[in-house]
Amino acid sequence: MINTTIFKICFLLVLIQISSAKWTKPRRLNILKHSSNHIRDDRCRQFKTFTQKVDHFGYVNMDTYQQRYTLNTDYWQSGKPIFFYAGNEGDIDLFCDNTGFMWDIAPLFDAMVVFAEHRYYGQSLPYGNQSYSKPEYTRYLTSGQALADYAYLLDNIRSSIKGAEQSPTVVFGGSYGGMLAAYFRMKYPHVVVGAHAASAPILQMTTPCESFSRIVTQDFQQESPQCVDIIRSSWGAVNRIAIAAGGLRRLSALFKLCRPLQSADELKNWLLDMYGNIAMVDYPYATSFLADLPAFPARVFCANVTASSFDTINDDEDIVRRIVQGTNVFFNYTGHTDCFDTGSQGSPSLGDLGWSYQSCSEFVMPMCSDGVNDMFEKQDWDFQAFSDMCFAAWSVRPRLEWPYIEYGGKNVTDLRYYSNIAFTNGNLDPWSSGGLRVTVAPTLPAILVTGGAHHLDLRAANKADPPSVLQVRQQIVALIETWIS
Amino acid sequence: MINTTIFKICFLLVLIQISSAKWTKPRRLNILKHSSNHIRDDRCRQFKTFTQKVDHFGYVNMDTYQQRYTLNTDYWQSGKPIFFYAGNEGDIDLFCDNTGFMWDIAPLFDAMVVFAEHRYYGQSLPYGNQSYSKPEYTRYLTSGQALADYAYLLDNIRSSIKGAEQSPTVVFGGSYGGMLAAYFRMKYPHVVVGAHAASAPILQMTTPCESFSRIVTQDFQQESPQCVDIIRSSWGAVNRIAIAAGGLRRLSALFKLCRPLQSADELKNWLLDMYGNIAMVDYPYATSFLADLPAFPARVFCANVTASSFDTINDDEDIVRRIVQGTNVFFNYTGHTDCFDTGSQGSPSLGDLGWSYQSCSEFVMPMCSDGVNDMFEKQDWDFQAFSDMCFAAWSVRPRLEWPYIEYGGKNVTDLRYYSNIAFTNGNLDPWSSGGLRVTVAPTLPAILVTGGAHHLDLRAANKADPPSVLQVRQQIVALIETWIS
């Protein structure tokens, strides 16, 4: 995701400031996008808006904005629960479309289903198209403001819908939305009775920076050790081809890129993101997130990469051709793509802008690779370079300590006073590196989804689901029953 | 407190806008002040400072300020608890001097004792003497920012003092500080294991507006029904004298005022505040808060008022003279005061400025009197007039719903998910009208202090303490033992 819009904005600057061996990119948690041929749920097209204060924490700025949300009462009965999705970094209908679990279990509970869009994403832009134009506008993009939005929205729903006044509310979320679901229950237990926080990397800010890369590597390793060897050797192959005369043109042609490469780093970062994304969406059935993908995309990727025997030992071009065969799985499984854009892996630009800002302020998630225990080139984490990039791009610098001051987790046992939060993490999910994977209190169960990629448990039931995720969903249903009783 | 500095600032405006029958004054919770002859505790003179961010909830304003606090380790042993006072609207040494309970029990727990000054009070002024000069500076005066200050300060203490890393912290506070103690545990249970919230009117924002006046009246009524009758009839007497030729001069002379009255309202508001303050400090022993006061000041006040038999029925001047005899108890018990200032009931002006701002933003506490069930003139609560005054003074308008959105209490049973907060309220304390007086969960005990005025339980042990407060303090000690275990 090196080439998101914000990186385009400060691209030259970044090129000047940062060596290729320093990791300064914010990693995107959200891997959803609108896919053209995805069947979209009509229940997610019924938008409402609610007038929110832009600044909940002060009284000087009296501006308001329209927060978008969806509200469905198909299954709801008066007094029965509200299921509330704490929207994360993207259009709310994306999450509404891809959180089938809530829809699956709503009839069991006669529940109302609400999906709330996060401020500064989708159409919930406090200052319209200018929302990202200057620090005076971006300053209200924080998790705390978003949580206050959710509290106000729920207060409004409860007081305006007859029969909802006493409806207990359960909050759900995946990825950053899972962090918000957990934080919402932590900070507003008088508003939500419990939370299902799926694949929520609430500890990612201090997790060893190589953890993410290691899990990605493990996912490919379990499919094919040979595949991992080829990926590991591909970086050198790319480097050697790139420095040869006409090498970048050759690489651009091999990868069928729409625009010629400006550097080998451009290609390598695009590939790096792809590996992370494949690990995140390594679901046991075909999906349509970043692109239309087969079931077990890591397996198919590796099958493509290892399909033919090595023609020549140490043939750089052969290695690269194998990787190209792999990328076709991720970027062109349907065969409809003529060329690939290294500047695009998914979501609309505003979503990326927002996450760039948030990872430059509250949620710095250090990333690196050691090149030994993972299949990547060695890349160090350079906080200072990252911070400098943030200041150049947004006129802000990260505050590393803040999430732990505000929400806890510096010492995980200190979280024991929170309650009614189910933390679920899949062992295939690289973001599980920052998940809460120890149960620190009986009412804060940490649940492992064996065979689960990024918030698999939040997705709609599927015949191909592993037994573990069925059990986890039953567990969540049982927990909700205790929370609302 | 009509004549606090802020009211001086907008005095003409207020006179024009507001009729005397509309209550638009913010009532001050804090009745502490520096008294010249009070013996001050040296442990409260050892100040430290900690660098805080002015804005914890955004990243644009990178200003910092020096927060003042006291830290005492006389009784502390490594690993043992930290007792933390959540400073409220005034100089921190005032609270340090007047919270003897913490000092009394610190040796029992080998506890460190910390008193943290609230931003914008005392010397913890984010923009120095300019802190109240414009909205861009006042905007960071909120309870949320203050709580984040406390969380950062504690994090710093824990990480910088060897042996304090794992020290469980118990937070204490009285009045607004009691609200903050409760809120601190509510919002930061990963930081503080429990809270003693004394006389914390967390529900005052929606308590019926006449409740405060009724409790004040009850306090005087239990001392002397005749006293209450005289007070009730005094308002008419003052009004009739005031409108007669030379009446204001006459009243000024009777009350020995330092400056001639500008209106009868000026006098009546001064008296109104006094009755509230007497009820708040109606302790069973002599104290030195607003002034040097005898034990049971309401009793002494009424004894003075009713000392002589009525000379003439309906003699307005006789009634006023009786009230003057009463005011001497409150304002001149030592006999050293030559004249009285209706513009002063206590704290330094900055404290009043701060509370004026806070009651104009987060903490609107409606006050009224019905003139039937209380001993005051009928005064309505006029939110719009109050809000207009706030806008004129501070360029902000109150947000009535915010404390309940943020901290809960709109429906008190929704507080049941919080834990380890002891809410104590004295039945003599008019602020108990907004206290949590029902136990909504086993770990949120609501404890009544029979015979207790404003946070009597937080004061140092005294031979004259009623048995009830001794029991309450034992109960708090037992609770702390469970919290830290």
mmCIF file with all atom_site columns, all heavy atoms in Angstrom, chain B residues 238-250:
data_model
loop_
_atom_site.group_PDB
_atom_site.id
_atom_site.type_symbol
_atom_site.label_atom_id
_atom_site.label_alt_id
_atom_site.label_comp_id
_atom_site.label_asym_id
_atom_site.label_entity_id
_atom_site.label_seq_id
_atom_site.pdbx_PDB_ins_code
_atom_site.Cartn_x
_atom_site.Cartn_y
_atom_site.Cartn_z
_atom_site.occupancy
_atom_site.B_iso_or_equiv
_atom_site.pdbx_formal_charge
_atom_site.auth_seq_id
_atom_site.auth_comp_id
_atom_site.auth_asym_id
_atom_site.auth_atom_id
_atom_site.pdbx_PDB_model_num
ATOM 1  N N   . VAL B 1 238 ? -36.511 42.444 53.185 1.00 0.00 ? 238 VAL B N   1
ATOM 2  C CA  . VAL B 1 238 ? -35.433 43.089 52.416 1.00 0.00 ? 238 VAL B CA  1
ATOM 3  C C   . VAL B 1 238 ? -36.029 43.845 51.224 1.00 0.00 ? 238 VAL B C   1
ATOM 4  O O   . VAL B 1 238 ? -35.659 44.993 50.951 1.00 0.00 ? 238 VAL B O   1
ATOM 5  C CB  . VAL B 1 238 ? -34.406 42.037 51.925 1.00 0.00 ? 238 VAL B CB  1
ATOM 6  C CG1 . VAL B 1 238 ? -33.494 42.600 50.837 1.00 0.00 ? 238 VAL B CG1 1
ATOM 7  C CG2 . VAL B 1 238 ? -33.582 41.523 53.097 1.00 0.00 ? 238 VAL B CG2 1
ATOM 8  N N   . ASN B 1 239 ? -36.958 43.211 50.525 1.00 0.00 ? 239 ASN B N   1
ATOM 9  C CA  . ASN B 1 239 ? -37.559 43.871 49.360 1.00 0.00 ? 239 ASN B CA  1
ATOM 10 C C   . ASN B 1 239 ? -38.246 45.184 49.746 1.00 0.00 ? 239 ASN B C   1
ATOM 11 O O   . ASN B 1 239 ? -38.094 46.200 49.062 1.00 0.00 ? 239 ASN B O   1
ATOM 12 C CB  . ASN B 1 239 ? -38.600 42.945 48.707 1.00 0.00 ? 239 ASN B CB  1
ATOM 13 C CG  . ASN B 1 239 ? -37.922 41.765 48.020 1.00 0.00 ? 239 ASN B CG  1
ATOM 14 O OD1 . ASN B 1 239 ? -36.740 41.818 47.676 1.00 0.00 ? 239 ASN B OD1 1
ATOM 15 N ND2 . ASN B 1 239 ? -38.687 40.694 47.814 1.00 0.00 ? 239 ASN B ND2 1
ATOM 16 N N   . ARG B 1 240 ? -38.995 45.139 50.845 1.00 0.00 ? 240 ARG B N   1
ATOM 17 C CA  . ARG B 1 240 ? -39.734 46.347 51.238 1.00 0.00 ? 240 ARG B CA  1
ATOM 18 C C   . ARG B 1 240 ? -38.787 47.457 51.679 1.00 0.00 ? 240 ARG B C   1
ATOM 19 O O   . ARG B 1 240 ? -38.980 48.622 51.334 1.00 0.00 ? 240 ARG B O   1
ATOM 20 C CB  . ARG B 1 240 ? -40.740 45.999 52.335 1.00 0.00 ? 240 ARG B CB  1
ATOM 21 C CG  . ARG B 1 240 ? -41.965 45.234 51.815 1.00 0.00 ? 240 ARG B CG  1
ATOM 22 C CD  . ARG B 1 240 ? -43.009 45.003 52.906 1.00 0.00 ? 240 ARG B CD  1
ATOM 23 N NE  . ARG B 1 240 ? -42.546 44.092 53.945 1.00 0.00 ? 240 ARG B NE  1
ATOM 24 C CZ  . ARG B 1 240 ? -42.701 42.750 53.891 1.00 0.00 ? 240 ARG B CZ  1
ATOM 25 N NH1 . ARG B 1 240 ? -43.301 42.171 52.859 1.00 0.00 ? 240 ARG B NH1 1
ATOM 26 N NH2 . ARG B 1 240 ? -42.255 42.003 54.878 1.00 0.00 ? 240 ARG B NH2 1
ATOM 27 N N   . ILE B 1 241 ? -37.769 47.096 52.425 1.00 0.00 ? 241 ILE B N   1
ATOM 28 C CA  . ILE B 1 241 ? -36.802 48.126 52.835 1.00 0.00 ? 241 ILE B CA  1
ATOM 29 C C   . ILE B 1 241 ? -36.100 48.694 51.603 1.00 0.00 ? 241 ILE B C   1
ATOM 30 O O   . ILE B 1 241 ? -35.888 49.903 51.483 1.00 0.00 ? 241 ILE B O   1
ATOM 31 C CB  . ILE B 1 241 ? -35.775 47.558 53.839 1.00 0.00 ? 241 ILE B CB  1
ATOM 32 C CG1 . ILE B 1 241 ? -36.485 47.164 55.141 1.00 0.00 ? 241 ILE B CG1 1
ATOM 33 C CG2 . ILE B 1 241 ? -34.662 48.569 54.123 1.00 0.00 ? 241 ILE B CG2 1
ATOM 34 C CD1 . ILE B 1 241 ? -35.593 46.454 56.155 1.00 0.00 ? 241 ILE B CD1 1
ATOM 35 N N   . ALA B 1 242 ? -35.747 47.813 50.677 1.00 0.00 ? 242 ALA B N   1
ATOM 36 C CA  . ALA B 1 242 ? -34.953 48.228 49.515 1.00 0.00 ? 242 ALA B CA  1
ATOM 37 C C   . ALA B 1 242 ? -35.678 49.269 48.673 1.00 0.00 ? 242 ALA B C   1
ATOM 38 O O   . ALA B 1 242 ? -35.044 50.198 48.137 1.00 0.00 ? 242 ALA B O   1
ATOM 39 C CB  . ALA B 1 242 ? -34.601 47.016 48.652 1.00 0.00 ? 242 ALA B CB  1
ATOM 40 N N   . ILE B 1 243 ? -36.997 49.114 48.524 1.00 0.00 ? 243 ILE B N   1
ATOM 41 C CA  . ILE B 1 243 ? -37.694 50.052 47.633 1.00 0.00 ? 243 ILE B CA  1
ATOM 42 C C   . ILE B 1 243 ? -38.041 51.366 48.309 1.00 0.00 ? 243 ILE B C   1
ATOM 43 O O   . ILE B 1 243 ? -38.424 52.331 47.647 1.00 0.00 ? 243 ILE B O   1
ATOM 44 C CB  . ILE B 1 243 ? -38.978 49.431 47.028 1.00 0.00 ? 243 ILE B CB  1
ATOM 45 C CG1 . ILE B 1 243 ? -39.919 48.946 48.139 1.00 0.00 ? 243 ILE B CG1 1
ATOM 46 C CG2 . ILE B 1 243 ? -38.650 48.312 46.049 1.00 0.00 ? 243 ILE B CG2 1
ATOM 47 C CD1 . ILE B 1 243 ? -41.311 48.556 47.629 1.00 0.00 ? 243 ILE B CD1 1
ATOM 48 N N   . ALA B 1 244 ? -37.904 51.416 49.643 1.00 0.00 ? 244 ALA B N   1
ATOM 49 C CA  . ALA B 1 244 ? -38.152 52.694 50.334 1.00 0.00 ? 244 ALA B CA  1
ATOM 50 C C   . ALA B 1 244 ? -36.999 53.657 50.050 1.00 0.00 ? 244 ALA B C   1
ATOM 51 O O   . ALA B 1 244 ? -35.910 53.236 49.654 1.00 0.00 ? 244 ALA B O   1
ATOM 52 C CB  . ALA B 1 244 ? -38.269 52.443 51.848 1.00 0.00 ? 244 ALA B CB  1
ATOM 53 N N   . ALA B 1 245 ? -37.251 54.918 50.234 1.00 0.00 ? 245 ALA B N   1
ATOM 54 C CA  . ALA B 1 245 ? -36.207 55.921 49.994 1.00 0.00 ? 245 ALA B CA  1
ATOM 55 C C   . ALA B 1 245 ? -35.012 55.621 50.893 1.00 0.00 ? 245 ALA B C   1
ATOM 56 O O   . ALA B 1 245 ? -35.175 55.392 52.097 1.00 0.00 ? 245 ALA B O   1
ATOM 57 C CB  . ALA B 1 245 ? -36.756 57.326 50.289 1.00 0.00 ? 245 ALA B CB  1
ATOM 58 N N   . GLY B 1 246 ? -33.815 55.605 50.298 1.00 0.00 ? 246 GLY B N   1
ATOM 59 C CA  . GLY B 1 246 ? -32.597 55.324 51.068 1.00 0.00 ? 246 GLY B CA  1
ATOM 60 C C   . GLY B 1 246 ? -32.507 53.896 51.560 1.00 0.00 ? 246 GLY B C   1
ATOM 61 O O   . GLY B 1 246 ? -31.675 53.574 52.410 1.00 0.00 ? 246 GLY B O   1
ATOM 62 N N   . GLY B 1 247 ? -33.360 53.033 51.006 1.00 0.00 ? 247 GLY B N   1
ATOM 63 C CA  . GLY B 1 247 ? -33.443 51.657 51.496 1.00 0.00 ? 247 GLY B CA  1
ATOM 64 C C   . GLY B 1 247 ? -32.173 50.862 51.286 1.00 0.00 ? 247 GLY B C   1
ATOM 65 O O   . GLY B 1 247 ? -31.723 50.129 52.186 1.00 0.00 ? 247 GLY B O   1
ATOM 66 N N   . LEU B 1 248 ? -31.563 50.999 50.117 1.00 0.00 ? 248 LEU B N   1
ATOM 67 C CA  . LEU B 1 248 ? -30.343 50.226 49.842 1.00 0.00 ? 248 LEU B CA  1
ATOM 68 C C   . LEU B 1 248 ? -29.221 50.667 50.775 1.00 0.00 ? 248 LEU B C   1
ATOM 69 O O   . LEU B 1 248 ? -28.447 49.851 51.268 1.00 0.00 ? 248 LEU B O   1
ATOM 70 C CB  . LEU B 1 248 ? -29.924 50.373 48.378 1.00 0.00 ? 248 LEU B CB  1
ATOM 71 C CG  . LEU B 1 248 ? -30.827 49.656 47.350 1.00 0.00 ? 248 LEU B CG  1
ATOM 72 C CD1 . LEU B 1 248 ? -30.373 49.955 45.922 1.00 0.00 ? 248 LEU B CD1 1
ATOM 73 C CD2 . LEU B 1 248 ? -30.817 48.140 47.595 1.00 0.00 ? 248 LEU B CD2 1
ATOM 74 N N   . ARG B 1 249 ? -29.165 51.992 51.008 1.00 0.00 ? 249 ARG B N   1
ATOM 75 C CA  . ARG B 1 249 ? -28.148 52.489 51.951 1.00 0.00 ? 249 ARG B CA  1
ATOM 76 C C   . ARG B 1 249 ? -28.391 51.907 53.340 1.00 0.00 ? 249 ARG B C   1
ATOM 77 O O   . ARG B 1 249 ? -27.481 51.508 54.043 1.00 0.00 ? 249 ARG B O   1
ATOM 78 C CB  . ARG B 1 249 ? -28.190 54.018 52.010 1.00 0.00 ? 249 ARG B CB  1
ATOM 79 C CG  . ARG B 1 249 ? -27.377 54.694 50.906 1.00 0.00 ? 249 ARG B CG  1
ATOM 80 C CD  . ARG B 1 249 ? -26.952 56.122 51.319 1.00 0.00 ? 249 ARG B CD  1
ATOM 81 N NE  . ARG B 1 249 ? -28.071 56.935 51.768 1.00 0.00 ? 249 ARG B NE  1
ATOM 82 C CZ  . ARG B 1 249 ? -28.928 57.563 50.952 1.00 0.00 ? 249 ARG B CZ  1
ATOM 83 N NH1 . ARG B 1 249 ? -28.800 57.447 49.628 1.00 0.00 ? 249 ARG B NH1 1
ATOM 84 N NH2 . ARG B 1 249 ? -29.918 58.286 51.435 1.00 0.00 ? 249 ARG B NH2 1
ATOM 85 N N   . ARG B 1 250 ? -29.682 51.850 53.705 1.00 0.00 ? 250 ARG B N   1
ATOM 86 C CA  . ARG B 1 250 ? -30.038 51.319 55.031 1.00 0.00 ? 250 ARG B CA  1
ATOM 87 C C   . ARG B 1 250 ? -29.620 49.847 55.155 1.00 0.00 ? 250 ARG B C   1
ATOM 88 O O   . ARG B 1 250 ? -29.028 49.433 56.155 1.00 0.00 ? 250 ARG B O   1
ATOM 89 C CB  . ARG B 1 250 ? -31.555 51.468 55.212 1.00 0.00 ? 250 ARG B CB  1
ATOM 90 C CG  . ARG B 1 250 ? -32.066 50.999 56.569 1.00 0.00 ? 250 ARG B CG  1
ATOM 91 C CD  . ARG B 1 250 ? -31.693 51.963 57.673 1.00 0.00 ? 250 ARG B CD  1
ATOM 92 N NE  . ARG B 1 250 ? -31.893 51.383 59.001 1.00 0.00 ? 250 ARG B NE  1
ATOM 93 C CZ  . ARG B 1 250 ? -30.967 51.384 59.970 1.00 0.00 ? 250 ARG B CZ  1
ATOM 94 N NH1 . ARG B 1 250 ? -29.778 51.943 59.775 1.00 0.00 ? 250 ARG B NH1 1
ATOM 95 N NH2 . ARG B 1 250 ? -31.229 50.861 61.144 1.00 0.00 ? 250 ARG B NH2 1
#
